Structure formats: structure tokens, C-alpha cells
């Protein structure tokens, strides 16, 4: 029964046709109205309000949509549309042809052919390394593990296990996240998608199907694809986004039979990695190529983790430093286990943070808090330090190249295996501001309805000195093109793969 029909039925006692005694029946029925209104707003009685991911029970978007109640679905769509409209052209306007011209002029794209009308950034990528059988892929996305927790990157010394792995793979000295939320990290690492002034595409309606991800690309190439999480996969709409865009299997908190520890955000990272290892062993034994995205959650308020695992950095147990040290401990044990497993020699691993945990202060854009650690290791990868300025959106193209995957995709990031020495850049969205930083640490900040700002970032001081002069026109065009492109691609549903 819809909310409108229910309301009309309950109003009958006050109508001329009402029967004697119906007033009392209606009064008893009013709690149903309250429940109906509540359900139309939240669409669930659970402890978190509903989002489409809570009802993404299959990989079929039509089936999932039928489960949702219509009143809530309309409200959710209107809410998303408001975010998209409000964000459109907030920094200025630019023709699509100009936007594409600026983006395609990047050194690693300048000689690339773009032939698709529907997907304007679609192009072919040839891997730098040809392999008789492409590698498997495991991406470990570490919750809130920014450079502020990595001693060699100027942070607190609470990640000794990660730092001990630096010489074993490609270690990124100047890697920057695109945002300050997990969904920003997901869209950048898994989709190679630029941040936009709107909400992350993980949450927006038009990207729940037909949106490019590594899962979609690798699934089409015969890979078994999946997402492994210790909490509730519907959080931040992850389940809906993943199931609709190429991820065949979703593992979350309900799938852990006897976890060693469960906190507010789900099972511990130890339980998460034990599940991941079990899954990787099974997949390798089956002989099918695989891709798994493994997302940790222990480093999250209220910073709960098992006892007697680490020597605390802080005397008080439940602090961010101790939670990070525990997350580092669990990660180190997982890599040690993986090294001694049959799947290691055939698998590429990326360890990277989604964002930093400490984004605060009076900086217009706190660039220091966008720096994150990143490490590629596994298979036949040798030690190498990546010094060039790098963005999260560069990681996916680089992984495909090392894996030996020849592919067609819409990602505009840099393949660091093929273009290791080209000048890099970082792209950062913070509140209403959009920052573009070049390889010389020159910063251009776009602001809604205001003139852009020019600045110089000092990695040593961790702060930006803003200048009185306006940014150069070339820098403004470059920043504006990259700020406007993702929203336009999203709105036109032009960031995907051909059928």
C-alpha cells in the first residue's frame, strides 16, 4: 500500500461516509502512518539511513531497483540531482572541446588517439611489459592511513611494517589523494576518475551501472572480480556501485563466521586479511585470474582493535596512533603470509591509503594532509622509488601496464611504467575548493564564484604561501579543465566501456 493511499484510507473517519466506531480504528492506525512516513524517508529500520547499496543484492540493476520503495527512490534521486546541479560550472565555464584539448595535451596522452564520440576519453593502452599470462591483482585500500603516520614521509612512526616493505617494490614518495573521504579514494583508485565539485560518483545515481571500473574491465577479460570488506558493504553506497560496475562477489561483515574481534565498524583487519588470504588461495587453486579490492576499517573512530597485538605508541589504548599501528601490524602479517603462498608469484599487490585521517587547520586547502603512502609489490616486481609527483588517478593505468593487460579504457591518468619521468601533478578537492599542483609545487586553487588563487606549496613546511598575483592563464585553464571534465562525463554518462 503506498503512503498516499494509506493516508487517504486513514482520513475516512472524518469524511461524511464514515461508519460509527471508525474513529477509534483510525486512532489505532495512526502509528502505521508514522511508520510509513519513517520508512519513506529512511527506507529501513536499521541504524543507518538507507542508500541504494543496501538493496543491491544482485548484479542486476533492475532487480535491485524493484526492491526500493518508490517514495524514497524519488527523494533520493532529487537529493542527488541537487548536488549535481549545484556543482555544475561552480568554478567557471569552458567548452567541452577546450576541456578535452587541455586534458589530452598531457605528455602521456598527447600522442594518443581518441576515436569514440560517446566516450571522449576512451583510448587504447599498451602495457609496458608483455606477459604470456597477465598477473592477478589485489588492491589493499587502507582506511585513513595518510603520510602523517609514515615516518619517512615526515609523519609519526607508527607504520614500521609498511616501511619495512619499501625496498621490495615501487614506493611512492610524492603520492597525493584526490579527496578526504573514502569514496573519493575509491573512485580514484578503482576508476581512475578525477574528483569533481559534486559528490563522489560512488554515491551518485547515474554511475550505479555502466560506469568504468577496473572490475568491469577485468571481468570482461575473464577475471573473477570481488570486493572484501570487514564492515557493512552498503556503507557509503559501496555495494550498489560495485555490484553495478563489474564486481561479481561482495564479502562483508555478515560473511565472517567466527571473527576474532568485532568493533563498531565491523571485524578487525586481521579477520579481513584472513578472509582475503582464504579467498586468494581458493581462486589461485581454481586457476582463474582474479582481482580483489580489500578495504580495511580498523583505523576509524572509535579506534577499536584486539588486545595484545602491538606495543602501543600512546599510553591510552583507543587512539588514532595505536589504531594505525594495529592496522600496520595486520597488513604486515598479511603480506608475510602472501609472500609464502602459491599465489604471490602470479599476483600484483597495491597498498595505498584512501585518504589521510588528519585533515584540519586553517589552510585553504591543507595539501600536507593529502599526501599518502603507496606501494606496488608482488610477482617479479623489483625495488624502485617513485619520486615524481603522483596522483591516485595514476595508479590504475600503471597497474594495468605492469600486469601486462592491453586494454581500452577512459582513464586519463599516467602509466608510470611507461612514462616514469614526465612532470607529474596532483589534483585535490577539498570542501568547495579545487587545487591543482604541478611538479614544481606551484598551486592553483579554484573557488566558487571567486577569482582563482596562486600559491607555492612547501613540502618541508607543509604549508602553502599564497601570492598576491593571479595564477597564470595557462594554469587556470589546466585546473579548470580537469575540474569540469569529471562532472560533464558523469552527467553525459560518458565514462564507461563500449558494449
Amino acid at each position: 500500500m503506498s503512503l498516499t493511499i494509506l493516508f487517504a484510507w486513514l482520513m475516512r473517519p472524518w469524511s461524511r461516509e464514515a461508519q460509527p466506531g471508525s474513529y477509534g480504528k483510525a486512532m489505532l492506525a495512526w502509528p502505521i502512518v508514522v511508520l510509513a512516513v519513517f520508512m519513506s524517508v529512511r527506507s529501513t529500520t536499521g541504524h543507518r539511513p538507507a542508500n541504494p547499496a543496501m538493496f543491491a543484492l544482485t548484479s542486476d540493476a533492475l532487480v535491485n531497483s524493484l526492491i526500493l520503495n518508490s517514495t524514497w527512490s524519488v527523494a533520493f534521486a532529487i537529493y542527488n540531482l541537487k548536488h549535481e546541479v549545484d556543482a555544475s560550472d561552480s568554478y567557471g565555464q569552458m567548452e567541452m572541446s577546450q576541456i578535452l584539448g587541455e586534458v589530452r595535451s598531457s605528455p602521456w596522452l598527447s600522442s594518443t588517439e581518441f576515436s569514440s564520440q560517446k566516450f571522449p576519453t576512451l583510448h587504447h593502452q599498451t602495457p609496458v611489459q608483455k606477459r604470456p599470462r597477465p598477473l592477478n591483482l589485489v588492491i589493499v585500500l587502507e582506511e585513513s592511513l595518510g603520510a602523517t603516520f609514515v615516518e619517512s614521509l615526515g609523519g609519526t612512526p607508527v607504520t614500521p611494517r609498511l616501511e619495512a616493505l619499501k625496498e621490495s617494490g615501487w614506493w611512492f614518495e610524492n603520492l597525493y589523494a584526490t579527496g578526504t573521504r573514502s569514496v573519493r579514494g575509491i573512485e580514484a583508485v578503482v576508476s581512475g576518475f578525477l574528483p569533481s565539485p559534486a559528490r563522489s560518483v560512488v554515491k551518485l545515481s547515474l554511475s550505479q551501472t555502466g560506469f568504468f571500473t577496473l572490475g568491469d574491465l577485468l571481468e570482461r577479460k575473464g577475471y573473477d572480480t570481488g570486493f572484501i570488506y570487514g564492515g557493512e558493504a552498503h556503507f557509503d553506497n559501496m555495494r550498489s556501485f560495485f555490484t553495478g560496475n563489474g564486481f561479481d562477489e561482495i564479502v562483508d561483515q555478515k560473511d565472517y563466521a567466527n571473527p576474532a574481534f568485532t568493533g563498531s565498524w565491523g571485524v578487525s583487519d586481521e579477520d579481513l586479511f584472513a578472509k582475503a588470504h582464504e579467498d586468494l588461495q581458493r581462486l589461485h587453486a581454481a586457476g582463474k585470474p582474479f582481482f580483489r579490492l580489500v578495504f580495511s576499517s580498523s583505523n576509524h573512530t572509535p579506534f577499536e582493535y584486539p588486545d595484545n597485538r602491538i606495543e602501543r605508541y600512546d599510553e591510552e589504548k583507543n587512539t588514532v596512533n595505536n589504531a594505525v599501528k594495529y592496522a600496520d601490524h595486520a597488513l604486515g602479517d598479511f603480506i608475510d603470509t602472501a609472500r609464502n603462498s602459491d599465489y604471490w608469484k602470479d599476483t600484483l599487490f597495491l597498498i595505498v591509503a584512501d585518504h589521510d585521517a588528519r585533515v584540519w587547520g586553517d589552510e585553504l586547502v591543507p595539501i600536507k594532509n593529502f599526501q599518502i603512502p603507496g606501494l606496488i609489490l608482488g610477482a617479479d616486481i623489483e625495488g624502485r622509488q617513485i619520486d615524481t609527483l603522483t596522483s591516485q588517478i595514476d595508479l590504475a593505468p600503471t597497474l594495468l601496464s605492469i600486469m601486462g593487460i592491453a586494454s581500452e579504457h577512459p582513464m586519463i591518468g599516467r602509466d608510470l611504467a611507461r612514462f616514469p619521468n614526465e612532470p607529474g601533478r596532483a589534483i585535490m578537492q577539498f570542501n568547495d575548493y579545487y587545487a591543482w599542483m604541478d611538479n614544481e609545487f606551484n598551486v592553483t586553487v579554484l573557488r566558487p564564484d571567486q577569482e582563482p588563487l596562486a600559491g607555492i606549496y612547501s613540502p618541508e613546511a607543509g604549508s602553502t604561501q599564497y601570492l598576491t598575483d593571479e595564477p597564470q592563464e595557462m594554469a587556470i585553464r589546466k585546473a579548470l579543465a580537469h575540474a569540469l571534465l569529471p562532472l560533464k562525463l558523469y552527467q553525459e554518462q560518458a565514462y564507461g566501456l563500449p558494449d
Side-chain angles (χ1 to χ4, degrees):
M1 181 183 294
S2 72
L3 184 60
T4 304
I5 296 173
L6 178 63
F7 183 78
W9 178 75
L10 289 170
M11 291 303 294
R12 288 179 68 251
W14 285 269
S15 70
R16 292 181 180 179
E17 292 80 12
Q19 299 297 317
S22 60
Y23 176 81
K25 293 178 181 178
M27 292 304 294
L28 291 174
W30 273 107
I32 301 174
V33 172
V34 175
L35 178 61
V37 172
F38 176 84
M39 289 296 291
S40 72
V41 173
R42 292 176 57 95
S43 205
T44 177
T45 56
H47 65 285
R48 290 191 180 108
N51 62 59
M54 295 182 68
F55 308 96
L57 306 182
T58 77
S59 59
D60 190 317
L62 176 60
V63 173
N64 294 334
S65 67
L66 292 175
I67 302 171
L68 289 163
N69 75 65
S70 58
T71 305
W72 182 87
S73 298
V74 172
F76 189 80
I78 293 173
Y79 175 72
N80 272 333
L81 183 61
K82 179 182 183 299
H83 277 275
E84 297 162 30
V85 172
D86 287 350
S88 180
D89 299 329
S90 61
Y91 302 135
Q93 297 183 5
M94 202 172 188
E95 293 295 327
M96 188 60 168
S97 59
Q98 295 176 304
I99 292 173
L100 292 173
E102 288 290 343
V103 170
R104 292 171 177 175
S105 68
S106 299
W108 49 90
L109 295 176
S110 58
S111 60
T112 301
E113 181 180 350
F114 299 89
S115 57
S116 174
Q117 292 295 319
K118 179 174 175 54
F119 304 108
T121 61
L122 189 73
H123 63 280
H124 182 81
Q125 180 186 357
T126 301
V128 72
Q129 187 167 353
K130 294 182 179 180
R131 298 178 181 272
R133 175 175 172 170
L135 297 175
N136 305 311
L137 176 62
V138 175
I139 295 178
V140 178
L141 196 61
E142 285 286 335
E143 171 67 52
S144 304
L145 202 154
T148 53
F149 303 110
V150 182
E151 184 175 19
S152 66
L153 297 179
T156 306
V158 288
T159 53
R161 302 289 295 276
L162 176 61
E163 297 234 49
L165 297 170
K166 287 168 51 176
E167 306 301 323
S168 303
W170 291 20
W171 174 257
F172 293 85
E173 283 286 315
N174 285 291
L175 174 62
Y176 286 80
T178 60
T180 59
R181 295 292 307 274
S182 295
V183 284
R184 281 286 186 224
I186 289 171
E187 72 179 7
V189 173
V190 175
S191 295
F193 196 65
L194 288 161
S196 81
R199 305 170 83 205
S200 164
V201 292
V202 176
K203 291 189 169 188
L204 295 179
S205 56
L206 297 180
S207 47
Q208 299 309 298
T209 59
F211 193 86
F212 175 81
T213 68
L214 286 175
D216 186 18
L217 186 154
L218 294 175
E219 181 189 43
R220 294 177 186 222
K221 292 186 175 294
Y223 278 62
D224 188 302
T225 61
F227 171 58
I228 305 177
Y229 186 50
E232 300 173 0
H234 67 77
F235 178 70
D236 264 351
N237 204 51
M238 293 186 295
R239 179 183 288 274
S240 175
F241 180 76
F242 289 138
T243 56
N245 293 303
F247 287 74
D248 296 322
E249 183 177 349
I250 306 292
V251 173
D252 70 357
Q253 186 173 349
K254 69 182 184 306
D255 299 307
Y256 294 78
N258 296 296
F261 179 86
T262 303
S264 302
W265 283 90
V267 303
S268 71
D269 284 2
E270 285 176 78
D271 293 299
L272 170 77
F273 288 128
K275 174 72 77 173
H277 172 63
E278 176 187 322
D279 193 38
L280 300 184
Q281 282 186 309
R282 174 184 63 83
L283 291 165
H284 185 266
K288 186 175 182 179
F290 58 80
F291 163 47
R292 286 296 183 269
L293 172 64
V294 183
F295 188 17
S296 74
S297 58
S298 290
N299 180 26
H300 209 300
T301 54
F303 306 122
E304 300 164 306
Y305 58 91
D307 292 324
N308 305 316
R309 300 298 200 275
I310 60 168
E311 181 179 343
R312 297 180 189 174
Y313 182 81
D314 296 323
E315 183 176 348
E316 180 186 349
K317 180 188 177 185
N318 300 116
T319 68
V320 63
N321 287 326
N322 288 338
V324 170
K325 194 168 183 182
Y326 167 73
D328 177 71
H329 159 79
L331 172 66
D333 279 359
F334 170 62
I335 295 299
D336 285 348
T337 300
R339 279 188 189 277
N340 295 310
S341 301
D342 290 339
Y343 57 77
W344 177 266
K345 67 182 185 302
D346 302 315
T347 305
L348 189 68
F349 292 80
L350 167 65
I351 301 169
V352 66
D354 56 352
H355 58 84
D356 191 13
R358 301 176 172 180
V359 184
W360 59 58
D362 56 2
E363 285 270 331
L364 191 66
V365 178
I367 293 175
K368 175 184 178 181
N369 300 111
F370 280 77
Q371 188 177 5
I372 56 175
L375 177 66
I376 297 174
L377 71 169
D380 54 0
I381 301 302
E382 298 180 352
R384 176 177 168 186
Q385 182 170 298
I386 309 297
D387 293 316
T388 184
L389 190 62
T390 309
S391 170
Q392 273 178 325
I393 69 166
D394 299 325
L395 296 174
T398 301
L399 293 172
L400 292 174
S401 189
I402 299 173
M403 291 167 67
I405 297 282
S407 61
E408 191 176 39
H409 62 68
M411 298 185 289
I412 65 164
R414 174 170 51 145
D415 172 5
L416 288 156
R418 185 171 294 280
F419 300 96
N421 300 316
E422 299 293 348
R425 79 285 171 255
I427 306 127
M428 296 159 281
Q429 183 76 41
F430 182 69
N431 294 332
D432 291 332
Y433 303 118
Y434 190 97
W436 171 278
M437 183 167 69
D438 68 20
N439 210 49
E440 301 297 323
F441 298 103
N442 297 305
V443 179
T444 302
V445 177
L446 305 179
R447 303 176 294 170
D449 306 316
Q450 299 181 70
E451 294 298 319
L453 285 177
I456 300 174
Y457 175 66
S458 169
E460 294 74 25
S463 61
T464 304
Q465 179 67 47
Y466 289 99
L467 310 176
T468 55
D469 295 335
E470 291 185 2
Q472 294 183 356
E473 184 62 30
M474 181 176 64
I476 295 175
R477 286 201 314 271
K478 187 69 70 176
L480 185 58
H482 285 78
L484 297 181
L485 178 63
L487 190 55
K488 290 183 181 296
L489 291 177
Y490 163 77
Q491 291 171 334
E492 297 171 12
Q493 296 181 279
Y495 195 79
L497 295 175
D499 294 331

